[in-house]
Amino acid sequence: MGRNRLNLAIGLGATCSGCDITIVDLAEYLPKVLSSVNIAFWPTAADLKLKDLEAMANGSIDLCLYHGAIVNEENAEMARLLRRKSKLMVAFGSCACFGGVPGLANLATKDSLLETVYGTPSTDNPKGLKPQGEALVGEYRMAVPKRLDAVLPLSGVVEVDYSIPGCPPQTSQVKDAFEAILSSDLPPRGSVIGPAKNLCDECPRKREGKSISKIVRAHETIADQERCLLDQGILCMGPATRAGCDAKCIKANMRCEGCMGPPDGVGDQGAKMLGAIASILGLEGEDKMSEEDVARLMDGIVDPVGLFYLFSLPSSILRRRLWEV
Amino acid sequence: MNDVRADLKNLKIGVYVCHCGKNIADVVDVKRVADFASKLPGVEVAREYLHMCDDVGQEMISKDIMELGINRVVVAACSPKVHELTFRDTLRKAGLNPYLLEMANIREQCSWVHRSDPDRATEKAIDLVKMAVAKARWLIPLETKAVEVTRSALVIGGGIAGIQAALDVADNGYQVYLVEKGPSLGGRMGQWSKVFPTMDCAACILTPKMVSAAQHPKIKLLTNSELIEASGSLGNFKVKIRKRPRYVDEEKCTACGLCAQKCPVRIPNEVDFGMSSRKAIYITSPNAVPLAYSIDGENCLYLKRGICRVCERVCEAKAIDFDQKEEVLELRVGSIIVAIGYDPFDPTPLEEYGFGRYKDVVTGPMLERMTDPMGPTGGAILRPSTGKPPRKVAFIQCVGSRDARFNLYCSRVCCMYAIKDSLIIKEQNPESDVYIFYMDIRAFGKGYEEFYLRSQEAGVKFIRGKVSSIREDPRTHELVLRYEDTLLGTALEDSFDLVVLSVGQVPRADTDAISKILGIPRSADGFLMEAHPKLRPNDAVVDGIYLAGSAQYPKDIPDAVAQASGAAARALIPLSMGQVYVEPISPLIEEDRCGGCGVCVKLCPYGALKLEEREDKRVAKVDEVLCKGCGTCSAACPSGAVRSRMFTEEQILSMISSAAG
């Protein structure tokens, strides 16, 4: 272990571990990373235990990439522990940055969520058991981490120094982050590693001033490859989404789902996109539309939260459901 | 670029709570508000004082700026519409950027509306101050921008107000475009015969004005024309005028009238409210300016069906020109004066008075036409049913005015015109009886009370009470009025042979269209709204647009003329300054955040946004002259690149969180 090597930790919350794959995806750059770091903690790849981590001195880890949302007490505790041990805490991937896909659980309250998962007619659970946190099993006291009231992004429990969004992040962002850290050329704290602008900046498609006269869902059509998807009525999230992915989905003729989260200067990605869509929906001929026409047009938005907040509900103004109605 | 990001370091906020005499302090506990404000984060000093807008109050603020280094100012007082400019000036004079000011409106929004609940009014004032302080933290210094002015004015409406305004602006040496929808100038005043309280002949005083306007070298008169589109802002408006063809060469026409004599089409004459007829080729009055006939395209046989052309054959001057085409003129002007006037109230919906059902129930303006020597009766007041002079005439006041079913406002002219007409009736037939049924006689103008006395001396009878119904005696065709004499306290009935409904003024039918084209709102009564009811009665809500005459509110002639001169004086300010300072209302487009998605482009109601191509990139650009600062683009911008400088996201969110937290 060379003394100059960075102590690197990779922490996991509620994650699919796709973010781990991004690191492996560094490919030809990976050896350079591995030769300049010392893996202090990475449950996916290295056999280190919690007690090993606890034994480390505070601040002894140079860089912690934390991926996954904060869903239960274990996630929160691990985040706090890693924060104490790390000089730099990075929210890695959209779950850590904004709550991500697991964050859609915030559409339900904790109780109704458990009810749905453990109590629907299709669930084989005759005793109606639900996770209790602690339970006595024979002579053993068993504990399952308690679910928090709501899914949180990493910044909901600890202070975050940098964010690398994406589902998963692009290898280029990871590379940029490592280069910056290895060369000690860090951007201002709080920065997001990635371009400041929205995806439209990278999008090669031709576009016009916008007015959507009919909403088309992606599976209902084969989109024109050349023209802006929004101009074709497909609700592409690109305008409210940070660039940096090189418009991969767009180039595959698929709409942007918004995984990179909001660009610089936007707090609430979904609200911004909703504002934009509401503004351009039926803009031309608006004065001739009846209330019913407007309602019919709006009905084209199926599953608005899933559309506008697929990756960012917990960090939006909405955050979560507080009670069932 | 950085000016949208506020400097949060070294914040020193000063909060100034105004008593507004007793306006605020009687209800809101101003001391409590100031005490609370003094404890808010970033607040260096919080003071309260009797009148923040007076010299002492302003001095207090500027002293704090200079001595304590206050760098954000929150004034909790009246509406920013009243005094924001005052306090911006205070800041400017004290060396602080004037836009580092935020106002909390604790008068209109607290003390005036929550008079009955001082405690909660105070709580609300505290909340408003808290929000203003939260916003103040994020204020950014802004600069006003000087823009060159197009030194010409547009006047819409060729009635007495429009004529006066056009003359005043033109006499100051600036080009005026005077746009009149009809074929000639004169407007409503041109329909009247004698005017109160002087009993002048309206034509005698109006005609010279019309001629001066038409002949003025600086006035371009556009008749048969209307405004169809407008864009731009104070100092630089771009307007489109549709000019319908007259089909008569104004230069050649000698107004001999032979064409009208021969024209076979006869239609009701709108000048006489349908009491007479006119031809399809016509002139509104023998005094018309311009003095030229005009063909009404809607009714001309040749233009509708391709037959006739008799006018062309008889015209010795060869003035008829069926080849004239509709034109759309595009003009650039620095100021716009709206003087579109009013319509008389249509009393048909008041079924109890039987207008339209009983021939001898007429409106005041109809009677007015009868008094005109050029009118349908040659100046004689006659019963429409018999064509004979009436012996007993009733005037019913406040028809459609001061009536919760129609218009709550007082139309301001009906008392005086009824009195005037009663005198004319008395002059024409001293033996006749004239009654005026009134709620209140409002003789508020110069010489009006004297005029009222004159009619009483002439024997006109004034009965204080509202007429509840009119029915016609089927045998005698006399009109039986049922009314309460509130001075006697009894219900009575009496018969008359002519009833005049003193109808008031209502907004012209096209007021809504003009309001939409120019983006100037209307008040609850339907008239065009002024920027401030007391201090800016000549200004529309949009800068650079001014109001004259009854377009703003019912007016008599002297008031309309006075307001027209006022509007002209206001409209001249930008023209003579040559430059206007544009408030920094246009959005700031942060190019390092704009990805060129194009969402904003079509949204802009003023066409001020476009996508500019830059190498392989696109960036939104705003035209600051066309922009009116509505904020639509910044609300819609999905990437946070378009920012309203005075309502940044940080400012709004910090206000919301301070209100909620």
Side-chain angles (χ1 to χ4, degrees):
Chain A
M1 265 189 237
R3 290 186 66 194
N4 303 337
R5 288 190 174 210
L6 280 179
N7 263 334
L8 171 71
I10 296 177
L12 281 66
T15 178
C16 69
S17 277
C19 294
D20 286 326
I21 307 295
T22 294
I23 296 169
V24 181
D25 259 354
L26 285 170
E28 70 275 14
Y29 188 72
L30 190 61
K32 187 183 173 194
V33 172
L34 291 179
S35 63
S36 49
V37 302
N38 165 42
I39 294 173
F41 185 73
W42 186 2
T44 314
D47 187 14
L48 286 150
K49 303 296 185 204
L50 184 61
K51 64 178 184 334
D52 302 322
L53 182 59
E54 281 168 341
M56 291 178 201
N58 284 352
S60 60
I61 294 172
D62 295 296
L63 168 67
C64 173
L65 303 180
Y66 187 98
H67 61 84
I70 309 294
V71 168
N72 58 30
E73 284 178 348
E74 189 209 2
N75 301 149
E77 203 178 302
M78 185 57 84
R80 284 191 203 103
L81 181 61
L82 282 165
R83 172 73 271 190
R84 281 200 299 279
K85 304 294 174 192
S86 309
K87 289 197 187 82
L88 288 180
M89 188 72 164
V90 175
F92 189 60
S94 290
C95 294
C97 291
F98 323 114
V101 175
L104 289 177
N106 285 0
L107 283 174
T109 59
K110 184 171 74 169
D111 292 341
S112 73
L113 191 71
L114 292 177
E115 184 60 41
T116 304
V117 174
Y118 294 91
T120 46
S122 62
T123 307
D124 182 17
N125 185 7
K127 290 184 184 166
L129 296 175
K130 282 180 205 164
Q132 295 300 307
E134 273 192 342
L136 216 53
V137 179
E139 61 196 277
Y140 299 102
R141 185 168 290 279
M142 302 288 282
V144 176
K146 268 195 196 151
R147 205 182 157 84
L148 302 178
D149 284 339
V151 179
L152 300 170
L154 180 60
S155 61
V157 285
V158 297
E159 201 176 316
V160 171
D161 300 311
Y162 296 102
S163 303
I164 303 181
C167 185
Q170 299 298 305
T171 48
S172 59
Q173 291 166 275
V174 182
K175 217 171 121 182
D176 287 350
F178 274 117
E179 301 249 301
I181 291 163
L182 293 172
S183 63
S184 304
D185 183 17
L186 289 165
R189 265 167 64 107
S191 298
V192 175
I193 312 291
K197 290 194 179 188
N198 63 5
L199 186 63
C200 303
D201 193 50
E202 287 181 347
C203 176
R205 290 173 182 251
K206 288 194 195 75
R207 67 202 72 159
E208 298 145 24
K210 307 227 165 334
S211 167
I212 299 179
S213 53
K214 185 178 188 302
I215 292 171
V216 182
R217 298 184 76 195
H219 65 272
E220 292 171 339
T221 184
I222 294 172
D224 183 327
Q225 302 264 11
E226 302 287 315
R227 287 174 59 221
C228 167
L229 291 167
L230 263 179
D231 285 344
Q232 301 179 55
I234 298 167
L235 300 185
C236 170
M237 283 288 287
T241 302
R242 186 181 296 274
C245 62
D246 198 27
K248 281 198 174 67
C249 301
I250 305 286
K251 286 176 181 167
N253 211 16
M254 276 304 297
R255 58 177 278 273
C256 168
E257 293 186 319
C259 82
M260 288 287 283
D264 271 7
V266 173
D268 188 316
Q269 183 185 20
K272 272 289 178 198
M273 196 63 203
L274 182 62
I277 296 294
S279 303
I280 59 175
L281 203 55
L283 181 63
E284 280 175 349
E286 192 173 37
D287 42 347
K288 292 182 196 79
M289 285 169 76
S290 66
E291 291 289 318
E292 291 74 35
D293 293 337
V294 175
R296 210 170 304 125
L297 195 50
M298 299 280 287
D299 283 344
I301 302 178
V302 182
D303 181 20
V305 178
L307 179 77
F308 295 117
Y309 288 105
L310 188 56
F311 297 92
S312 65
L313 183 62
S315 58
S316 70
I317 299 170
L318 299 174
R319 286 179 197 275
R320 66 178 176 110
R321 183 187 287 273
L322 285 174
W323 57 82
E324 297 291 336
V325 286
Chain B
M1 202 63 37
N2 284 329
D3 66 343
V4 286
R5 289 162 211 176
D7 175 16
L8 297 182
K9 283 185 215 131
N10 314 314
L11 269 184
K12 283 190 176 177
I13 305 172
V15 180
Y16 302 89
V17 185
C18 182
H19 296 206
C20 194
K22 288 181 164 184
N23 271 301
I24 294 172
D26 253 9
V27 180
V28 171
D29 183 344
V30 283
K31 195 165 176 329
R32 219 178 107 204
V33 177
D35 281 351
F36 177 87
S38 69
K39 297 182 190 94
L40 289 169
V43 173
E44 183 82 3
V45 64
R47 305 185 193 277
E48 28 96 17
Y49 174 64
L50 198 59
H51 284 292
M52 275 300 166
C53 60
D54 74 14
D55 283 350
V56 181
Q58 292 191 55
E59 184 56 33
M60 191 184 281
I61 299 172
S62 57
K63 208 166 149 224
D64 284 352
I65 293 171
M66 290 187 279
E67 290 175 8
L68 301 179
I70 294 299
N71 50 24
R72 301 283 187 284
V73 175
V74 172
V75 180
C78 50
S79 161
K81 281 179 88 173
V82 185
H83 274 314
E84 189 168 52
L85 292 178
T86 313
F87 293 115
R88 276 193 192 154
D89 232 34
T90 314
L91 267 64
R92 187 183 289 120
K93 285 177 190 150
L96 191 62
N97 184 289
Y99 294 93
L100 297 175
L101 166 78
E102 182 60 23
M103 288 192 74
N105 182 355
I106 62 167
R107 191 179 75 176
E108 283 85 341
Q109 293 178 358
C110 283
S111 61
W112 280 2
V113 285
H114 303 303
R115 198 159 278 279
S116 58
D117 196 344
D119 275 348
R120 290 178 65 205
T122 303
E123 293 295 328
K124 185 173 169 186
I126 285 175
D127 279 346
L128 290 173
V129 169
K130 194 164 73 175
M131 288 163 73
V133 169
K135 183 178 176 191
R137 300 167 64 83
W138 292 94
L139 291 176
I140 41 191
L142 300 171
E143 299 300 330
T144 47
K145 206 171 163 174
V147 176
E148 289 295 314
V149 165
T150 309
R151 293 174 174 231
S152 59
L154 173 74
V155 177
I156 309 166
I160 184 60
I163 292 171
Q164 184 64 48
L167 284 171
D168 284 358
V169 175
D171 283 347
N172 272 272
Y174 298 100
Q175 179 64 43
V176 177
Y177 301 96
L178 176 56
V179 172
E180 164 58 42
K181 202 172 186 180
S184 52
L185 291 175
R188 293 291 173 199
M189 187 178 171
Q191 288 177 280
W192 313 147
S193 169
K194 289 186 175 178
V195 286
F196 61 79
T198 49
M199 288 289 213
D200 283 311
C201 137
C204 309
I205 54 175
L206 177 64
T207 312
K209 286 260 181 202
M210 298 196 290
V211 172
S212 319
Q215 294 179 350
H216 202 292
K218 288 281 185 188
I219 296 179
K220 168 88 180 142
L221 175 59
L222 298 165
T223 50
N224 283 328
S225 300
E226 57 190 311
L227 177 73
I228 53 170
E229 228 180 277
S231 60
S233 57
L234 167 67
N236 291 286
F237 292 99
K238 208 162 82 185
V239 296
K240 281 189 185 162
I241 310 288
R242 181 192 294 133
K243 184 166 172 47
R244 294 184 312 281
R246 180 184 278 271
Y247 301 113
V248 174
D249 186 329
E250 279 176 41
E251 303 294 317
K252 290 184 185 163
C253 176
T254 58
C256 67
L258 199 56
C259 52
Q261 272 178 35
K262 300 291 179 192
C263 174
V265 182
R266 191 176 282 275
I267 53 167
N269 185 353
E270 48 281 78
V271 173
D272 289 336
F273 301 101
M275 290 185 293
S276 69
S277 62
R278 66 162 171 86
K279 299 297 185 64
I281 186 162
Y282 71 111
I283 196 161
T284 51
S285 137
N287 304 324
V289 173
L291 190 59
Y293 276 75
S294 178
I295 294 176
D296 161 5
E298 293 297 304
N299 293 296
C300 169
L301 286 179
Y302 175 64
L303 291 165
K304 292 308 268 189
R305 292 196 268 150
I307 50 171
C308 184
R309 300 184 87 151
V310 68
C311 49
E312 203 176 29
R313 285 199 301 279
V314 301
C315 181
E316 286 170 7
K318 303 271 172 264
I320 311 291
D321 179 3
F322 282 113
D323 292 334
Q324 286 184 3
K325 294 275 173 299
E326 182 176 294
E327 292 174 82
V328 173
L329 309 171
E330 218 180 273
L331 305 173
R332 287 187 169 270
V333 293
S335 325
I336 299 176
I337 297 173
V338 184
I340 58 171
Y342 67 95
D343 282 332
F345 174 77
D346 172 8
T348 314
L350 282 104
E351 288 180 3
E352 65 270 33
Y353 291 163
F355 176 75
R357 210 161 61 238
Y358 307 138
K359 277 190 173 168
D360 293 335
V361 176
V362 299
T363 65
M366 288 166 77
L367 186 82
E368 193 67 40
R369 290 306 302 149
M370 289 194 228
T371 66
D372 188 341
M374 323 276 191
T377 57
I381 292 173
L382 303 173
R383 287 181 72 186
S385 65
T386 61
K388 294 198 178 111
R391 280 158 301 141
K392 198 168 165 191
V393 183
F395 285 83
I396 302 178
Q397 297 308 107
C398 299
V399 175
S401 309
R402 307 176 69 203
D403 182 334
R405 295 172 300 168
F406 303 100
N407 297 303
L408 273 181
Y409 56 83
C410 165
S411 280
R412 300 175 84 250
V413 295
C414 330
C415 286
M416 299 318 293
Y417 81 59
I419 289 170
K420 175 198 70 183
D421 288 334
S422 72
L423 279 167
I424 296 175
I425 295 170
K426 281 283 189 189
E427 269 171 26
Q428 290 194 359
N429 181 5
E431 301 305 309
S432 61
D433 279 327
V434 183
Y435 288 72
I436 295 182
F437 294 89
Y438 71 99
M439 292 202 278
D440 303 280
I441 291 293
R442 296 187 167 171
F444 52 84
K446 185 166 179 172
Y448 292 7
E449 186 65 23
E450 296 87 326
F451 196 55
Y452 176 28
L453 285 173
R454 207 174 125 194
S455 70
Q456 286 173 312
E457 282 158 12
V460 176
K461 297 183 183 71
F462 288 82
I463 296 178
R464 189 169 178 277
K466 189 108 181 151
V467 175
S468 62
S469 69
I470 301 176
R471 64 186 158 79
E472 195 179 61
D473 186 317
R475 202 171 38 82
T476 62
H477 295 291
E478 293 215 313
L479 298 159
V480 183
L481 270 60
R482 202 175 159 72
Y483 64 95
E484 185 194 4
D485 186 326
T486 57
L487 296 179
L488 298 176
T490 47
L492 295 163
E493 277 194 355
D494 202 353
S495 299
F496 295 87
D497 50 11
L498 181 67
V499 175
V500 185
L501 304 179
S502 294
V503 295
Q505 303 183 359
V506 296
R508 263 190 81 99
D510 43 12
T511 303
D512 194 50
I514 289 284
S515 141
K516 284 192 177 127
I517 293 170
L518 292 174
I520 51 176
R522 304 165 71 178
S523 34
D525 52 30
F527 291 97
L528 293 170
M529 192 155 97
E530 61 291 311
H532 188 280
K534 295 181 190 66
L535 303 178
R536 294 176 66 192
N538 293 310
D539 302 2
V541 174
V542 174
D543 285 348
I545 304 182
Y546 309 90
L547 306 174
S550 291
Q552 182 245 344
Y553 190 70
K555 279 188 193 66
D556 56 16
I557 294 164
D559 282 1
V561 171
Q563 197 196 17
S565 285
R570 302 284 297 158
L572 279 162
I573 295 174
L575 306 191
S576 58
M577 290 202 357
Q579 275 191 334
V580 283
Y581 291 91
V582 179
E583 286 250 322
I585 50 167
S586 68
L588 183 91
I589 299 183
E590 289 191 75
E591 293 189 359
D592 58 354
R593 284 180 177 170
C594 176
C597 67
V599 162
C600 56
V601 175
K602 276 194 188 165
L603 276 181
C604 176
Y606 309 104
L609 284 157
K610 62 169 194 283
L611 278 187
E612 199 173 81
E613 297 284 337
R614 297 259 178 91
E615 290 148 31
D616 60 331
K617 302 280 176 192
R618 282 141 298 214
V619 174
K621 276 298 252 194
V622 62
D623 182 332
E624 293 187 358
V625 173
L626 294 181
C627 172
K628 295 208 170 165
C630 68
T632 306
C633 52
S634 97
C637 174
S639 64
V642 185
R643 306 194 146 216
S644 295
R645 295 173 215 240
M646 290 194 243
F647 295 95
T648 65
E649 197 158 305
E650 290 89 348
Q651 289 170 4
I652 293 171
L653 289 177
S654 67
M655 288 175 88
I656 294 172
S657 44
S658 84

